[in-house]
Amino acid sequence: MSERFDWPVLMQAGMRGLGLRPADFWALTPAELAFLLGQGSGRMPMDRTGLEELAARFPDRMEDDDGS
């Protein structure tokens, strides 16, 4: 099944509603635009940067590791 996007409506929502510049609007993926428009669970999948930030905040340590 092929879904079609209603580009005029999406452009109005993104540029007028969200105040995005055209270049920023066109750089978004459909999933990112849906997220910005309040659709979905509100949680985006974790990317590599998010994983690295999480690992830096909560490094793995052995129980007998003194942290040094």
Side-chain angles (χ1 to χ4, degrees):
M1 179 173 136
S2 174
E3 292 185 35
R4 295 189 180 264
F5 295 108
D6 188 344
W7 288 112
V9 170
L10 292 174
M11 290 168 60
Q12 183 173 3
M15 289 184 254
R16 287 187 183 166
L18 298 174
L20 297 171
R21 293 178 302 152
D24 295 331
F25 173 83
W26 290 112
L28 293 172
T29 66
E32 291 168 331
L33 181 58
F35 176 75
L36 291 173
L37 293 173
Q39 297 179 356
S41 66
R43 296 195 63 181
M44 298 295 287
M46 185 178 298
D47 61 6
R48 176 56 121 185
T49 301
L51 179 61
E52 290 171 353
E53 289 172 358
L54 186 63
R57 286 180 56 205
F58 302 101
D60 291 332
R61 293 190 194 138
M62 301 292 288
E63 285 186 29
D64 61 346
D65 187 359
D66 64 3
S68 57

